[in-house]
Amino acid sequence: MAQDWAEQHRRIHGPGALLSATSSFGTPQPRGLVDDHNRLTKVIHVDGEQTQEAARTLAWWPAVALTVGPDSLFPISALRVTPVEAVLSHLARDAEMDRSTLWLSPLHEGVAKISDWYIQHKPDRTASLLSEICLKAQERVDLHPATVGSIIRRSLRLHSTLGEETVDSLLGMALPPSANSPENLTEEPPGWVAPSS
């Protein structure tokens, strides 16, 4: 029981800790928010009329307004549907090609990047996002979660700004256990058959 609780706690809270960055004010925040703040600080400071400290202060609230809170500029709850449906659409298309020799390609670069963006801005929701993708892929396309996990891992390794080591750590803790099998750590996902030339 305690071990199950610890595993659940790691899946839910581990991604937030892994993808935490320190803001210029010295507070831990999601990496995506810190990156947005740093970019906005540069934009505000570049005109030379603001000191670096004033630029940091002026940039903070617009950075927060992009993704934090119910009135954020980006509708985060609605945006969450995009990576889920895009991944499922990709998996369904590849799975329909030929069930006898299943060839599942990595996710389209744009799908991987929007997933990466969402994860970096809402790391505390990573486990639920990945669980939903794996569950719906099994229900809709009849793909085993380990196959789905491998495709997600391979795609984020190719297109994430996090780097392979961080992607592997993140997915190691955030994917459901059925999607995070030892086979997932190989280059090719289970069921992978190279396309014929």
Side-chain angles (χ1 to χ4, degrees):
M1 179 81 102
Q3 188 175 10
D4 291 344
W5 179 88
E7 177 61 28
Q8 184 68 9
H9 187 271
R10 184 177 78 88
R11 283 193 68 229
I12 293 170
H13 300 289
L18 178 67
L19 298 184
S20 177
T22 303
S23 73
S24 59
F25 302 114
T27 59
Q29 300 290 338
R31 183 181 293 198
L33 174 58
V34 171
D35 289 347
D36 291 345
H37 178 237
N38 292 340
R39 283 188 209 109
L40 287 169
T41 298
K42 286 179 185 174
V43 168
I44 292 170
H45 187 254
V46 79
D47 67 12
E49 293 188 22
Q50 303 292 334
T51 66
Q52 181 68 24
E53 184 61 32
R56 276 199 305 265
T57 301
L58 288 170
W60 180 249
W61 292 113
V64 168
L66 290 173
T67 58
V68 178
D71 296 326
S72 65
L73 296 175
F74 290 119
I76 290 294
S77 295
L79 186 61
R80 183 184 191 281
V81 174
T82 302
V84 172
E85 292 301 322
V87 170
L88 292 172
S89 174
H90 170 87
L91 294 172
R93 187 197 70 232
D94 272 10
E96 283 177 10
M97 284 183 181
D98 187 352
R99 280 299 218 181
S100 61
T101 56
L102 188 60
W103 180 69
L104 297 171
S105 60
L107 300 173
H108 183 279
E109 180 179 357
V111 173
K113 285 186 174 184
I114 196 68
S115 301
D116 182 53
W117 181 91
Y118 182 87
I119 288 167
Q120 289 192 48
H121 283 80
K122 295 296 178 186
D124 56 324
R125 298 182 188 171
T126 302
S128 67
L129 175 78
L130 296 176
S131 293
E132 181 179 352
I133 290 170
C134 290
L135 178 64
K136 287 186 175 180
Q138 192 165 24
E139 290 172 351
R140 291 188 196 174
V141 193
D142 195 29
L143 288 177
H144 191 277
T147 301
V148 177
S150 291
I151 293 165
I152 291 170
R153 182 179 304 274
R154 188 164 186 260
S155 301
L156 289 178
R157 280 179 173 178
L158 288 170
H159 302 297
S160 175
T161 59
L162 295 172
E164 285 188 17
E165 189 175 314
T166 303
V167 165
D168 287 342
S169 295
L170 172 69
L171 297 181
M173 65 180 81
L175 279 169
S178 60
N180 213 357
S181 65
E183 296 85 36
N184 251 349
L185 300 176
T186 64
E187 280 299 307
E188 311 304 345
W192 175 271
V193 176
S196 56
S197 41

